[in-house]
Amino acid sequence: FATDGPNWLYCSKNESSLCGSGRFLGKEPFLSNTPVCDWAGITCEDHNYMSIMLDYNGLRGEIPADELVGLCIASLSLRGNPGTSLNFGNSELGFLLIESLELLDLSENELTGQLDFPLLSSGQGAIYLSNNRLNGTLPSGCCSRMTVLDLSHNLLSGTIPAVFGFEQDFTFIDGQFQQQLQPSDTLTEIHLAHNFLTGIVPDTLGELQNLEILKLEGNRLIGSIPDEICDLTFEYGGDLEYLWADCAGADAEVSCECCSKCFYTFEDSPSPAPVDSQSSSMLPTIGLEGF
């Protein structure tokens, strides 16, 4: 197997592998002589779309993305399998896969290297890449068609681009095409906490009108959370319920009058201590044969 199948924790083709109980109740071992929809970790909807969920199962290896194209996969979750990654060798096929997924979760997989801009620019669903070791900077003009983007707990640096979450749009005006930037109307969650981001929080994030979660704590940001973002919060009639930043204490680098939770930051601590701003009390804080 490309993902070390014989050593999976559950439901590998190995006869000694435990299967049929817990989260894989009623399922058959992977690659068994049964319909694919009966295999552990696979759920089929009307036999047209499938979800592959093999979280925390001891997978290890590289899965060629081009082998998954055409399989009508709606969700692919491989969270908690250190050493498991997708290989987008043929970028065109990789784009097709990402565009078709409603969910991609590769969190906690010890992924390294530069953040993949084509992946982010093609995504149209929820993408979770948290708790890895991805580096590089946040790309401009990405993620506009996503619903959720989780890049928390990585090694990302640089500033938050002013057009983060915006999409390039070309409009025909006065006999020529003109480029315009349109804010996403699908992004509901942005998780950028616990990286090495610097600079100010751009007020243009306030144009992402459907944001429900914006988590920025654990970075090196400075300045104030802009009023345009505050206008999105519950207090002002918006949908933004979770707005977190490093805004606790007299020496806070970020000031915020509308955050739902503020954090103290300590240079020697990877997990800053939170303070609820609404209270004065301190809180403690897949071709399938490729597997």
Side-chain angles (χ1 to χ4, degrees):
F1 293 173
T3 55
D4 199 20
N7 293 316
W8 285 8
L9 299 178
Y10 305 100
C11 296
S12 75
K13 197 174 182 180
N14 191 326
E15 293 183 0
S16 63
S17 177
L18 297 176
C19 197
S21 60
R23 59 186 169 127
F24 296 135
L25 182 65
K27 305 295 283 187
E28 299 294 330
F30 220 79
L31 299 181
S32 60
N33 294 321
T34 57
V36 170
C37 294
D38 293 337
W39 295 356
I42 292 185
T43 302
C44 297
E45 301 176 12
D46 299 326
H47 294 273
N48 290 322
Y49 295 93
M50 69 171 67
S51 296
I52 300 177
M53 305 286 184
L54 292 168
D55 301 343
Y56 305 104
N57 203 30
L59 282 71
R60 178 173 290 275
E62 192 175 81
I63 302 170
D66 55 4
E67 293 190 13
L68 305 181
V69 176
L71 295 179
C72 296
I73 300 174
S75 301
L76 177 60
S77 185
L78 304 174
R79 171 187 287 263
N81 291 290
T84 299
S85 63
L86 286 177
N87 181 356
F88 295 94
N90 184 324
S91 59
E92 182 176 344
L93 291 177
F95 291 161
L96 291 176
L97 173 65
I98 296 301
E99 288 176 352
S100 68
L101 289 175
E102 297 174 4
L103 179 145
L104 173 64
D105 192 343
L106 297 175
S107 301
E108 302 176 47
N109 281 7
E110 297 182 359
L111 300 179
T112 60
Q114 292 274 328
L115 187 64
D116 192 319
F117 173 69
L119 183 152
L120 297 182
S121 63
S122 301
Q124 299 195 50
I127 293 184
Y128 297 89
L129 298 172
S130 65
N131 291 278
N132 286 297
R133 295 197 294 272
L134 298 171
N135 58 40
T137 58
L138 296 174
S140 299
C142 83
C143 328
S144 61
R145 291 176 291 172
M146 292 183 191
T147 56
V148 177
L149 176 62
D150 190 349
L151 298 173
S152 58
H153 294 272
N154 277 287
L155 304 174
L156 302 175
S157 58
T159 60
I160 302 175
V163 290
F164 190 73
F166 283 63
E167 181 178 23
Q168 291 186 0
D169 185 28
F170 292 90
T171 304
F172 194 72
I173 301 177
D174 296 331
Q176 59 183 352
F177 284 102
Q178 297 184 14
Q179 178 180 324
Q180 296 180 328
L181 291 171
Q182 299 293 336
S184 170
D185 60 2
T186 58
L187 260 176
T188 60
E189 298 183 23
I190 298 177
H191 301 259
L192 300 176
H194 300 285
N195 281 284
F196 296 90
L197 301 176
T198 57
I200 63 172
V201 179
D203 58 12
T204 46
L205 290 179
E207 297 187 44
L208 305 178
Q209 294 293 315
N210 292 314
L211 270 186
E212 299 173 5
I213 297 176
L214 177 60
K215 294 185 178 180
L216 304 171
E217 77 277 7
N219 284 288
R220 298 171 179 175
L221 299 169
I222 58 173
S224 302
I225 298 297
D227 291 341
E228 290 83 355
I229 296 177
C230 287
D231 288 343
L232 300 179
T233 61
F234 272 11
E235 182 180 357
Y236 293 92
D239 295 324
L240 184 55
E241 182 176 5
Y242 298 95
L243 175 56
W244 294 6
D246 295 326
C247 47
D251 297 327
E253 294 293 332
V254 176
S255 62
C256 182
E257 297 181 356
C258 61
C259 286
S260 56
K261 185 171 288 187
C262 283
F263 288 76
Y264 286 102
T265 54
F266 302 98
E267 288 186 5
D268 298 328
S269 173
S271 301
V275 175
D276 191 335
S277 66
Q278 299 175 354
S279 171
S280 60
S281 61
M282 292 277 298
L283 294 179
T285 346
I286 305 172
L288 297 180
E289 67 276 5
F291 280 83

